[in-house]
Amino acid sequence: MACINDENSHFYSSSSSLPVIASRKFSVGDDGKSGDEFPFERVFPVYAKGTLNPEPNRVLLDFTNSGYDPIWNTIRQEAKLEAEKEPILSSFLYASILSHDCLEKALGFVLANRLQNPTLLATQLMVIFCNVIVHDRGIRSSIRLDLQAFKDRDPACLSYSSAILHLKGYLALQAYRVAHKLWKQGRKLLASALQSRVSEVFGIDIHPAARIGEGILLDHGTGVVIGETAVIGDRVSILQGVTLGGTGKDTGDRHPKIGDGALLGACVTILGNIRIGTGAMVAAGSLVLNDVPAHSMVAGNPAKVIGFVNEQDPSLTMEHDATKEFFRNVAVAYRETTPNVSGVAEKSDIIKENMRSSIHHQ
């Protein structure tokens, strides 16, 4: 398969300036480079976990050099089976998947048809998407690692093919990757036009200048907003309604930095140039205004540390009930106290005691 084969491939690495994000080159040009130096040979054996194997693998090199792509082969098989089960979808599946010779072109076709409008024609958009995706080895890696992240972590993801055809979180993320490449090339108006269409069609607003790693899950994705100078590490899971925003009209570096393996619950708001540590978990509905330590669990408005997580990457386990004991204790405290003047202090004392108890038992 011509789309993934490259006999001139070689290894490349560089360090990130962010202390909370593992030292690894972001997928697309955070250092101003094209991403073409990405070690694509090392991608395939990590489909299962969405992280790079630090050592070259001979078996891996054999099948990547031969053009073998297990995810694309699986997608084609899924599409054939679905076409047999649902003949009414056969034309759709043929046009979207089976008529293409690689994942890159199929994804370009799907994105172009979802984002077209009367002035941005599907044929024009497909040329843009395919030219960027096919020729950027970093993006070719990312679209696969992101796809595996959706398949592994989202129980609603029925198959690889359903992700590229229907899951707007996945599609918006890949459209961002193309827009980011265009932005780094100086084609900022076109990148902004793509951002605008993604926001209109999918309800997800990712600034093309933001830097996002690999193995990312945008679960549902509705209402996600990621600002211009935001940085997101690898293997991060983000649920609906999350905002990575600034705090005013300041310019410069003004958006959050999210460490590898972090889990951001639904409707989390993180504001300002603050750092969410590696493997941290932010509970749903939290407002985060200060740095969050690595592998900690924060909740509340404003968010405070309420414990620590055992998982290296809570984004992979997607255990959203990790704070249920804490919140149950808070609910009991409110229910068992009376709403009078003297009771205000009682509530506060009981809540603090339950917080301490919850953290102690975790």
mmCIF file of all heavy atoms in Angstrom, residues 275-281 291-298 305 308:
data_model
loop_
_atom_site.group_PDB
_atom_site.id
_atom_site.type_symbol
_atom_site.label_atom_id
_atom_site.label_comp_id
_atom_site.label_asym_id
_atom_site.label_seq_id
_atom_site.Cartn_x
_atom_site.Cartn_y
_atom_site.Cartn_z
ATOM 1 N N ARG A 275 -0.670 24.075 34.325
ATOM 2 C CA ARG A 275 -0.253 22.742 33.919
ATOM 3 C C ARG A 275 -1.044 21.676 34.655
ATOM 4 O O ARG A 275 -1.141 21.700 35.879
ATOM 5 C CB ARG A 275 1.249 22.555 34.174
ATOM 6 C CG ARG A 275 2.096 23.557 33.394
ATOM 7 C CD ARG A 275 3.579 23.398 33.688
ATOM 8 N NE ARG A 275 4.331 24.458 33.032
ATOM 9 C CZ ARG A 275 4.740 24.413 31.764
ATOM 10 N NH1 ARG A 275 4.459 23.349 31.040
ATOM 11 N NH2 ARG A 275 5.410 25.415 31.235
ATOM 12 N N ILE A 276 -1.581 20.760 33.881
ATOM 13 C CA ILE A 276 -2.245 19.577 34.428
ATOM 14 C C ILE A 276 -1.245 18.442 34.313
ATOM 15 O O ILE A 276 -0.848 18.065 33.220
ATOM 16 C CB ILE A 276 -3.535 19.242 33.659
ATOM 17 C CG1 ILE A 276 -4.448 20.471 33.572
ATOM 18 C CG2 ILE A 276 -4.243 18.066 34.316
ATOM 19 C CD1 ILE A 276 -4.865 21.051 34.908
ATOM 20 N N GLY A 277 -0.824 17.900 35.459
ATOM 21 C CA GLY A 277 0.282 16.962 35.479
ATOM 22 C C GLY A 277 0.008 15.655 34.766
ATOM 23 O O GLY A 277 -1.143 15.261 34.518
ATOM 24 N N THR A 278 1.062 14.950 34.465
ATOM 25 C CA THR A 278 0.975 13.638 33.833
ATOM 26 C C THR A 278 0.085 12.706 34.649
ATOM 27 O O THR A 278 0.224 12.600 35.871
ATOM 28 C CB THR A 278 2.382 13.026 33.719
ATOM 29 O OG1 THR A 278 3.195 13.878 32.902
ATOM 30 C CG2 THR A 278 2.317 11.635 33.116
ATOM 31 N N GLY A 279 -0.834 12.027 33.997
ATOM 32 C CA GLY A 279 -1.672 11.040 34.659
ATOM 33 C C GLY A 279 -2.662 11.616 35.653
ATOM 34 O O GLY A 279 -3.212 10.877 36.470
ATOM 35 N N ALA A 280 -2.931 12.915 35.596
ATOM 36 C CA ALA A 280 -3.891 13.520 36.519
ATOM 37 C C ALA A 280 -5.313 13.273 36.041
ATOM 38 O O ALA A 280 -5.551 13.012 34.857
ATOM 39 C CB ALA A 280 -3.637 15.020 36.647
ATOM 40 N N MET A 281 -6.268 13.360 36.978
ATOM 41 C CA MET A 281 -7.667 13.214 36.625
ATOM 42 C C MET A 281 -8.445 14.397 37.178
ATOM 43 O O MET A 281 -8.335 14.726 38.358
ATOM 44 C CB MET A 281 -8.251 11.919 37.178
ATOM 45 C CG MET A 281 -9.702 11.707 36.770
ATOM 46 S SD MET A 281 -10.315 10.063 37.169
ATOM 47 C CE MET A 281 -10.315 10.134 38.947
ATOM 48 N N ASP A 291 -2.225 24.994 38.917
ATOM 49 C CA ASP A 291 -1.559 23.774 38.471
ATOM 50 C C ASP A 291 -2.087 22.556 39.229
ATOM 51 O O ASP A 291 -2.427 22.638 40.413
ATOM 52 C CB ASP A 291 -0.050 23.882 38.711
ATOM 53 C CG ASP A 291 0.623 24.881 37.779
ATOM 54 O OD1 ASP A 291 -0.057 25.404 36.884
ATOM 55 O OD2 ASP A 291 1.828 25.132 37.957
ATOM 56 N N VAL A 292 -2.109 21.424 38.540
ATOM 57 C CA VAL A 292 -2.559 20.164 39.129
ATOM 58 C C VAL A 292 -1.373 19.199 39.158
ATOM 59 O O VAL A 292 -0.766 18.948 38.114
ATOM 60 C CB VAL A 292 -3.720 19.568 38.315
ATOM 61 C CG1 VAL A 292 -4.066 18.167 38.806
ATOM 62 C CG2 VAL A 292 -4.935 20.485 38.375
ATOM 63 N N PRO A 293 -1.027 18.637 40.316
ATOM 64 C CA PRO A 293 0.123 17.721 40.392
ATOM 65 C C PRO A 293 -0.093 16.455 39.582
ATOM 66 O O PRO A 293 -1.221 16.037 39.340
ATOM 67 C CB PRO A 293 0.222 17.393 41.900
ATOM 68 C CG PRO A 293 -0.552 18.463 42.587
ATOM 69 C CD PRO A 293 -1.628 18.886 41.636
ATOM 70 N N ALA A 294 0.999 15.838 39.185
ATOM 71 C CA ALA A 294 0.922 14.579 38.438
ATOM 72 C C ALA A 294 0.212 13.508 39.255
ATOM 73 O O ALA A 294 0.383 13.423 40.475
ATOM 74 C CB ALA A 294 2.333 14.116 38.063
ATOM 75 N N HIS A 295 -0.601 12.715 38.576
ATOM 76 C CA HIS A 295 -1.307 11.566 39.160
ATOM 77 C C HIS A 295 -2.213 11.945 40.332
ATOM 78 O O HIS A 295 -2.520 11.106 41.177
ATOM 79 C CB HIS A 295 -0.305 10.484 39.587
ATOM 80 C CG HIS A 295 0.563 10.018 38.474
ATOM 81 N ND1 HIS A 295 0.082 9.284 37.416
ATOM 82 C CD2 HIS A 295 1.888 10.222 38.225
ATOM 83 C CE1 HIS A 295 1.073 9.041 36.571
ATOM 84 N NE2 HIS A 295 2.166 9.594 37.031
ATOM 85 N N SER A 296 -2.626 13.186 40.371
ATOM 86 C CA SER A 296 -3.563 13.603 41.416
ATOM 87 C C SER A 296 -4.979 13.616 40.865
ATOM 88 O O SER A 296 -5.203 13.569 39.652
ATOM 89 C CB SER A 296 -3.190 14.984 41.955
ATOM 90 O OG SER A 296 -3.339 15.972 40.950
ATOM 91 N N MET A 297 -5.930 13.694 41.783
ATOM 92 C CA MET A 297 -7.339 13.748 41.435
ATOM 93 C C MET A 297 -7.879 15.062 41.993
ATOM 94 O O MET A 297 -7.742 15.339 43.185
ATOM 95 C CB MET A 297 -8.056 12.563 42.086
ATOM 96 C CG MET A 297 -9.535 12.474 41.821
ATOM 97 S SD MET A 297 -10.285 11.261 42.960
ATOM 98 C CE MET A 297 -9.163 9.892 42.812
ATOM 99 N N VAL A 298 -8.457 15.895 41.115
ATOM 100 C CA VAL A 298 -8.981 17.176 41.573
ATOM 101 C C VAL A 298 -10.460 17.268 41.244
ATOM 102 O O VAL A 298 -10.937 16.683 40.273
ATOM 103 C CB VAL A 298 -8.212 18.378 40.961
ATOM 104 C CG1 VAL A 298 -6.739 18.328 41.331
ATOM 105 C CG2 VAL A 298 -8.388 18.424 39.454
ATOM 106 N N VAL A 305 -7.244 19.388 45.180
ATOM 107 C CA VAL A 305 -6.770 18.008 45.196
ATOM 108 C C VAL A 305 -7.549 17.233 46.251
ATOM 109 O O VAL A 305 -7.604 17.633 47.416
ATOM 110 C CB VAL A 305 -5.261 17.935 45.499
ATOM 111 C CG1 VAL A 305 -4.810 16.486 45.623
ATOM 112 C CG2 VAL A 305 -4.463 18.644 44.402
ATOM 113 N N PHE A 308 -5.274 10.839 45.064
ATOM 114 C CA PHE A 308 -4.314 10.496 44.028
ATOM 115 C C PHE A 308 -4.763 9.210 43.358
ATOM 116 O O PHE A 308 -5.400 8.357 43.980
ATOM 117 C CB PHE A 308 -2.905 10.353 44.611
ATOM 118 C CG PHE A 308 -2.335 11.667 45.047
ATOM 119 C CD1 PHE A 308 -2.595 12.162 46.324
ATOM 120 C CD2 PHE A 308 -1.582 12.439 44.181
ATOM 121 C CE1 PHE A 308 -2.101 13.382 46.726
ATOM 122 C CE2 PHE A 308 -1.078 13.664 44.575
ATOM 123 C CZ PHE A 308 -1.347 14.144 45.851
#
